[in-house]
């Protein structure tokens, strides 16, 4: 029984006391929205990306100590949409950490209420430290001689708005040169403990897979993250580097 459910243009979400479920949306749902046809046609692999995340969660749980939602199950709904059910991980997104003073350690930084830049800075510094000392070393353990994950290649989110080709072939190398990457590692996908402002969990692994080390990009603030989408020269070069 869901306690809360909501949708974005791409996905539907259901939160229950112990679980979190996301599902892809059907063509009908896209077309019912203004400009939905554009989104339906440009955001590809609606089924595959859900399966890709399920595979990533299982792999990460088995072979790393990265805090992630626990995989429960994955399957197809009667309407053809795919769902992925995970354990629920409460907290706030890093991008929300400065919306109010969270009083980490009991210290209030602003007396009048409202946004707290100090809390945002603390959360960003904690996230940066977590990425450098936990996430990247753990991801670096996972290497492959093939791009993508299990025969399916979904490049990072910041690449797909610029390079809209309909299919990416797997590239095979003579050695394990490809490293596991998150593929959408920005402040919306780092879930934080609202009291300590430490990272609790890394979410949304739809774009995960094995890629050259140059694909291992991240940012802890929105501006820097969005700049990845605009660096077309780098995107162009990285995209060429994974063509077989
Ligand atoms: Zn504060």
């Amino acid at each position: 029984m869901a306690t809360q459910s909501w949708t974005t243009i791409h996905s539907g979400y259901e939160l229950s006391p112990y679980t979190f479920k996301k599902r892809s949306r059907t063509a009908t749902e896209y077309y019912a929205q203004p400009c939905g046809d554009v989104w339906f046609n440009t955001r590809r692999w609606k089924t595959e990306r859900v399966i890709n995340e399920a595979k990533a969660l299982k792999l990460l749980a088995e072979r790393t100590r990265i805090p992630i939602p626990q995989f429960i199950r994955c399957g197809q709904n009667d309407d053809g949409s795919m769902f992925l059910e995970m354990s629920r991980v409460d907290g706030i997104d890093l991008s929300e950490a400065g919306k109010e003073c969270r009083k980490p350690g009991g210290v209030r930084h602003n007396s009048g209420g409202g946004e707290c830049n100090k809390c945002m800075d603390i959360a960003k510094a904690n996230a940066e430290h977590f990425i450098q000392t936990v996430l990247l070393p753990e991801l670096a353990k996972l290497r492959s001689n093939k791009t993508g994950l299990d025969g399916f290649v979904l490049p990072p989110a910041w690449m797909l708005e610029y390079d809209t080709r309909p299919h990416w072939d797997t590239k095979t190398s003579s050695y394990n040169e490809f490293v596991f990457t998150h593929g959408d590692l920005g402040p919306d996908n780092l879930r934080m403990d609202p009291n300590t402002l430490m990272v609790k969990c890394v979410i949304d692994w739809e774009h995960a897979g094995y890629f050259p080390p140059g694909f291992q990009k991240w940012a802890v603030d929105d501006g820097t993250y969005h700049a990845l989408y605009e660096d077309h020269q780098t995107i162009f070069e990285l995209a060429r580097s994974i063509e077989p």
Side-chain angles (χ1 to χ4, degrees), residues 155-165 168 183 211-212 214-215 217 224-243:
W158 41 262
M159 179 169 283
L160 297 183
E161 279 190 17
Y162 174 74
D163 194 320
T164 58
R165 73 185 77 185
W168 295 80
F211 291 98
F215 280 60
K217 295 189 181 298
T224 313
Y225 191 66
H226 289 134
L228 293 175
Y229 286 74
E230 302 302 325
D231 185 359
H232 294 164
Q233 184 62 32
T234 300
I235 292 170
F236 176 76
E237 288 165 11
L238 290 175
R240 280 192 63 172
S241 76
I242 56 168
E243 286 170 1

Side-chain angles (χ1 to χ4, degrees), residues 128-145:
E128 180 82 30
H129 187 256
F130 166 83
I131 290 168
Q132 298 283 4
T133 61
V134 178
L135 185 61
L136 296 179
E138 289 293 311
L139 290 175
K141 291 182 191 169
L142 303 177
R143 302 190 73 95
S144 173
N145 71 337

Side-chain angles (χ1 to χ4, degrees), residues 4-236:
Q4 202 185 336
S5 65
W6 68 99
T7 55
T8 64
I9 182 77
H10 299 303
S11 306
Y13 301 94
E14 281 179 26
L15 198 59
S16 83
Y18 300 107
T19 66
F20 176 66
K21 197 182 203 179
K22 75 195 268 188
R23 66 170 180 84
S24 61
R25 302 190 80 194
T26 61
T28 313
E29 287 176 295
Y30 273 93
Y31 279 86
Q33 305 243 351
C35 303
D37 54 334
V38 176
W39 288 108
F40 182 76
N41 289 320
T42 54
R43 183 166 148 122
R44 304 181 193 281
W45 311 294
K46 290 167 180 64
T47 296
E48 292 87 346
R49 61 174 62 231
V50 176
I51 297 170
N52 200 57
E53 180 167 14
K55 286 181 176 173
L57 291 180
K58 287 192 262 190
L59 175 73
L60 291 160
E62 204 173 287
R63 300 198 29 209
T64 75
R65 57 188 184 98
I66 298 168
I68 51 169
Q70 189 185 351
F71 171 84
I72 297 174
R73 63 197 174 110
C74 174
Q76 194 162 31
N77 294 306
D78 291 341
D79 63 6
S81 61
M82 290 297 297
F83 71 86
L84 169 59
E85 189 169 25
M86 299 161 267
S87 62
R88 169 176 174 162
V89 182
D90 287 330
I92 54 170
D93 293 347
L94 174 58
S95 50
E96 303 173 298
K99 281 193 175 162
E100 59 185 277
C101 187
R102 312 281 176 179
K103 291 194 293 180
V107 179
R108 181 176 281 285
H109 304 113
N110 55 5
S111 51
E115 294 195 3
C116 182
N117 292 332
K118 183 82 177 143
C119 277
M120 193 68 228
D121 289 344
I122 291 169
K124 280 186 200 170
N126 289 343
E128 180 82 30
H129 187 256
F130 166 83
I131 290 168
Q132 298 283 4
T133 61
V134 178
L135 185 61
L136 296 179
E138 289 293 311
L139 290 175
K141 291 182 191 169
L142 303 177
R143 302 190 73 95
S144 173
N145 71 337
K146 289 185 167 56
T147 55
L149 180 55
D150 209 9
F152 173 64
V153 180
L154 182 60
W158 41 262
M159 179 169 283
L160 297 183
E161 279 190 17
Y162 174 74
D163 194 320
T164 58
R165 73 185 77 185
H167 177 77
W168 295 80
D169 284 317
T170 301
K171 181 176 184 177
T172 303
S173 172
S174 58
Y175 67 105
N176 286 343
E177 66 173 291
F178 306 123
V179 64
F180 206 71
T181 61
H182 178 281
D184 193 7
L185 192 51
D188 290 340
N189 288 333
L190 289 162
R191 182 134 307 153
M192 312 294 288
D193 183 313
N195 299 309
T196 64
L197 298 178
M198 305 289 277
V199 175
K200 272 185 91 172
C201 190
V202 185
I203 61 171
D204 201 350
W205 293 83
E206 279 184 17
H207 291 265
Y210 293 97
F211 291 98
F215 280 60
Q216 194 68 285
K217 295 189 181 298
W218 76 94
V220 296
D221 69 86
D222 286 323
T224 313
Y225 191 66
H226 289 134
L228 293 175
Y229 286 74
E230 302 302 325
D231 185 359
H232 294 164
Q233 184 62 32
T234 300
I235 292 170
F236 176 76

